[in-house]
Amino acid sequence: MIGYRHMGKPPEPAVDRRSFLTGAATGAAAALIAKQAPAVAQPAAAEPVVQASDGGRPASDFMVDIFKSLDLEYMFSMCASSFMGIHESVLNYAGNKNPQSITCTHEEISVAMANGYAKIEGKPVLVCAHATVGAQHAAMALYDAWCDRVPIYLVLGNTNDAADRQGEVFWLHSAQDPCAMLREFTKWDDNPASLTHFAESAVRAYKIAMTPPMGPVAIVVDEKMQEEHAPADARIPALNVPTPPAADSGAIAEVARLLVAAENPVILASRAARTPAGLRLMVELAETLQAGVVDSRRRLNFPTRHPLAGGSAAEADVVLALEAGDIANVARQARQRNAKVISITAAHLFQRSNYQDFMRYAEVDMSIAADAEASLPALIEEIRRLSTDARREAFRQRGVRIAEANRRTLEQARVDASHGWDASPVSTARLSMELWAALRNEDWSYVTGWVNWPLRLWDFTQHHQYIGRAGAEGVGYYAPASVGAALANKKHGRISVSIQPDGDLMVAPGALWTAAKYQVPLLILMQNNRAYHQEVMWFQRAALMRNRSLDLTQEGFGLGLPNIDFAKMAESLGLGSSGPISDPKELAAAIRRGIGVVKRGEPYLIDVVTQPR
Ligand SMILES: Cc1ncc(C[n+]2csc(CCOP(=O)(O)OP(=O)(O)O)c2C)c(N)n1
């Protein structure tokens, strides 16, 4: 098979449909293949297993029309014969636009990139992968998306019919039920038996992925079906994404009553703001009540420097938990002091058994199975309706107290950040603040990083400025997710930045090449601590508890000796780069240079050798 990258324009005369199916080529195509073919024995051409079409368009063109109707902007994939019909239609029928094919060097990268994209754009791209092997590579990134409620739209090519499998590799790469291994952490999957079935399932899959709680879906597309003839009257079903489920009016009235009467209500949020509108609603809710917001930031749920950003559930008399994850401890402690806990989450509407991201059972006082963001408008209105002048005055005084406490917390964070300011290797606080100094007047988006200084000290005000972490904390997420998010940010003209852990980048460094190839404007600052530091800490804890030597920290946990030269690595993958930088005084100039490159529309990597965290 010839690679499209090498082909440029399709050879003339093009491979005819029949010979394409049998593996034989004619004319210029045959010459080109002969020139490029590896000198290994090729399987004998099989008999045609699909009749040439009668002149109608290939079914995969129709499939691509479906993807267009779903407004899937990109197709992320590592190429494979099992979805070659679709891929060819994307390139030659759709003109490589909506979806545009983006080459990824690993299916885990395809899915993690789709994850980052979805968290910025609020919708999926098309991800195509080779059944069995592709699904296996994609699995961890899908699990990240599952735990993080991110819509991923995965299409797995497969040769369903044993009689169509042309040799050993087809058998190895096909399965009876390719989605089986993904089923525990996908919301829905299907293996359509006809084109009509495919059309319905493709639209249904989008609908299911986008209905809160959002999540990954997978559809198998039969390799042979892609080569069928699409009937002229083939119809694309109309998409109708359901309105997200909102809390009913009785529940809203009771929640509002409790919150208005509370002396010290606190709002907990983890994935409450699904959209920019959700962030605005969160601000409206907090300001209406003058209640503090504790944001565990699986998304940006609240502006980080808002006077009400912060608080403590441990002192609250009413806790309102909005898509808040693990609240079992909060609920138990609240129960002990007669405080009330209200939980609103769409998680109740869809759960599976084996992978237990639902965490400990929380004994809350009100459990509302609804999407938090969709429930906020009615809740805010009801709080306003119930608030008397006297209550509003009490809210105002509370707001002043909370703002003062949060101002002190911010001051403390500034003091904490100054420790080791001139240290070499560079402190992660210095790294973060040098980056912030260069960014603060730009339109920016912090697309990755688990260093928490930016969230403590930068002024995040907009939903797209932060996308949260890996849902399942799987190492290997950050680099590709940041590339996907930066690709989504590109058309908005935003500067995407990431603080990239070294261990994470080593899982999927191919993401850098994709960033370079498609000119993704992303500034990557390495948090190169030359170790899997999280696990170093676990090792130290284990050894200390056993009163044994700590000297082995570099064995199995270190990423130094040999030190990885990330600047050279980036350069070899097509990115501009600087470093390694160990002297903090060199940082500002390198960051300015990097931002200049990113503003030209290209990625840039600065290797910064840092303190562990
Ligand atoms: C796929 C996977 N394998 C192993 C782990 C265990 N683990 C958690 S953190 C970590 C180290 C990550 O190192 P790095 O990305 O360099 O960040 P650092 O801890 O050094 O800040 C590892 C290996 C994991 N979370 N995911």
Side-chain angles (χ1 to χ4, degrees):
M1 183 65 64
I2 37 182
Y4 289 107
R5 235 179 106 247
H6 305 295
M7 281 174 73
K9 282 171 71 180
E12 287 296 339
V15 180
D16 73 33
R17 242 178 105 56
R18 192 178 191 92
S19 59
F20 176 75
L21 291 166
T22 60
T26 56
L32 191 60
I33 293 170
K35 219 163 115 197
Q36 296 185 350
V40 293
Q42 297 297 310
E47 279 303 300
V49 288
V50 179
Q51 290 306 306
S53 89
D54 59 3
R57 62 188 181 139
S60 58
D61 287 5
F62 172 64
M63 292 169 175
V64 169
D65 281 341
I66 300 172
F67 301 145
K68 277 186 177 298
S69 80
L70 302 175
D71 203 18
L72 301 174
E73 188 180 2
Y74 293 107
M75 166 181 162
F76 296 165
S77 71
M78 173 191 269
C79 52
S81 56
S82 58
F83 58 88
M84 197 54 76
I86 287 177
H87 204 161
E88 193 275 339
S89 291
V90 165
L91 298 176
N92 291 329
Y93 167 69
N96 199 19
K97 201 157 187 291
N98 296 324
Q100 178 193 346
S101 166
I102 299 285
T103 304
C104 300
T105 59
H106 195 301
E107 289 79 356
E108 187 169 307
I109 294 177
S110 308
V111 176
M113 273 180 58
N115 183 321
Y117 173 96
K119 283 185 181 172
I120 294 289
E121 283 297 283
K123 62 175 195 168
V125 295
L126 169 66
V127 178
C128 288
H130 209 23
T132 68
V133 284
Q136 287 162 29
H137 264 187
M140 190 205 83
L142 274 175
Y143 182 55
D144 265 330
W146 164 259
C147 296
D148 208 10
R149 299 202 213 144
V150 178
I152 301 289
Y153 191 93
L154 176 66
V155 170
L156 289 173
N158 189 58
T159 310
N160 278 346
D161 187 341
D164 292 336
R165 297 179 188 160
Q166 300 175 40
E168 190 176 314
V169 181
F170 280 72
W171 280 91
L172 302 175
H173 289 176
S174 298
Q176 175 214 48
D177 179 8
C179 294
M181 64 164 293
L182 308 175
R183 193 156 293 137
E184 309 245 20
F185 43 91
T186 41
K187 247 186 116 180
W188 189 75
D189 68 83
D190 200 10
N191 189 346
S194 69
L195 203 51
T196 304
H197 186 171
F198 180 86
E200 287 192 15
S201 293
V203 176
R204 191 192 307 275
Y206 187 96
K207 182 170 171 167
I208 292 172
M210 288 294 285
T211 304
M214 296 184 186
V217 292
I219 320 174
V220 175
V221 59
D222 181 33
E223 186 214 345
K224 182 179 164 191
M225 193 192 293
Q226 298 167 58
E227 301 304 332
E228 284 172 7
H229 164 209
D233 60 351
R235 267 198 75 245
I236 301 173
L239 173 68
N240 41 32
V241 177
T243 52
D248 70 86
S249 55
I252 290 286
E254 180 59 8
V255 176
R257 193 187 65 73
L258 285 167
L259 288 170
V260 169
E263 285 315 312
N264 190 20
V266 166
I267 301 165
L268 303 185
S270 184
R271 295 185 179 88
R274 284 185 286 99
T275 67
L279 179 65
R280 288 193 289 275
L281 286 167
M282 287 292 293
V283 172
E284 213 179 319
L285 172 69
E287 288 181 353
T288 306
L289 268 179
Q290 291 293 306
V293 178
V294 181
D295 186 351
S296 47
R297 292 175 183 142
R298 290 294 186 169
R299 303 289 187 276
L300 188 71
N301 298 294
F302 205 67
T304 51
R305 289 222 196 140
H306 190 288
L308 295 169
S312 164
E315 289 154 21
D317 55 351
V318 174
V319 176
L320 176 63
L322 300 174
E323 308 291 355
D326 191 2
I327 53 167
N329 275 343
V330 168
R332 199 179 54 248
Q333 287 163 12
R335 200 159 272 273
Q336 283 162 4
R337 34 171 232 284
N338 282 331
K340 297 255 180 274
V341 177
I342 304 156
S343 165
I344 305 181
T345 174
H348 293 307
L349 298 171
F350 196 88
Q351 284 178 348
R352 290 225 194 265
S353 308
N354 193 25
Y355 293 96
Q356 308 215 326
D357 55 305
F358 42 73
M359 323 246 164
R360 292 289 300 267
Y361 182 83
E363 294 181 69
V364 300
D365 299 274
M366 279 187 79
S367 183
I368 301 170
D371 176 60
E373 180 173 319
S375 304
L376 288 184
L379 179 59
I380 294 166
E381 201 181 308
E382 186 62 7
I383 290 169
R384 288 210 175 105
R385 205 180 63 78
L386 294 180
S387 301
T388 59
D389 287 348
R391 287 315 291 151
R392 271 194 286 273
E393 176 52 22
F395 295 171
R396 192 191 61 74
Q397 290 176 19
R398 177 166 72 215
V400 171
R401 285 196 306 276
I402 295 170
E404 178 50 25
N406 290 339
R407 197 191 53 72
R408 285 196 300 271
T409 306
L410 182 63
E411 270 318 303
Q412 186 58 50
R414 287 196 176 113
V415 172
D416 293 350
S418 68
H419 297 314
W421 190 251
D422 293 320
S424 172
V426 181
S427 81
T428 54
R430 175 93 184 244
L431 172 82
S432 306
M433 296 319 282
E434 294 283 0
L435 182 55
W436 174 236
L439 272 188
R440 54 190 310 156
N441 297 319
E442 306 284 352
D443 182 6
W444 56 272
S445 173
Y446 177 52
V447 287
T448 263
W450 64 20
V451 167
N452 70 357
W453 291 111
L455 291 163
R456 289 178 73 184
L457 285 167
W458 296 10
D459 188 12
F460 290 79
T461 56
Q462 300 182 63
H463 192 252
H464 67 258
Q465 285 175 331
Y466 185 60
I467 66 168
R469 303 199 308 264
E473 304 293 355
V475 173
Y477 166 85
Y478 288 113
S482 66
V483 174
L487 183 64
N489 277 326
K490 183 176 174 171
K491 65 172 171 291
H492 303 290
R494 298 170 189 147
I495 296 181
S496 299
V497 296
S498 68
I499 298 180
Q500 173 64 54
D502 51 341
D504 181 273
L505 181 56
M506 288 304 287
V507 176
L512 297 183
W513 176 82
T514 298
K517 180 171 172 64
Y518 298 99
Q519 300 199 308
V520 178
L522 169 64
L523 177 63
I524 302 163
L525 260 72
M526 292 304 299
Q527 176 218 336
N528 180 7
N529 55 21
R530 293 180 172 157
Y532 292 115
H533 187 70
Q534 180 69 38
E535 302 305 315
V536 170
M537 294 187 288
W538 280 112
F539 167 74
Q540 288 170 332
R541 181 175 181 270
L544 281 172
M545 277 173 22
R546 295 166 183 183
N547 202 18
R548 292 203 286 223
S549 169
L550 295 171
D551 289 350
L552 293 175
T553 48
Q554 289 298 308
E555 188 51 51
F557 311 104
L559 279 167
L561 308 174
N563 294 335
I564 301 160
D565 189 332
F566 287 100
K568 272 195 189 145
M569 181 171 115
E571 205 183 311
S572 76
L573 293 167
L575 281 80
S577 64
S578 316
I581 291 175
S582 300
D583 179 350
K585 291 191 198 69
E586 292 174 21
L587 255 185
I591 291 172
R592 267 198 306 279
R593 198 162 50 244
I595 287 186
V597 173
V598 172
K599 278 187 171 172
R600 291 204 310 265
E602 290 162 36
Y604 193 82
L605 181 144
I606 305 173
D607 184 9
V608 188
V609 183
T610 68
Q611 299 288 330
R613 280 285 171 89

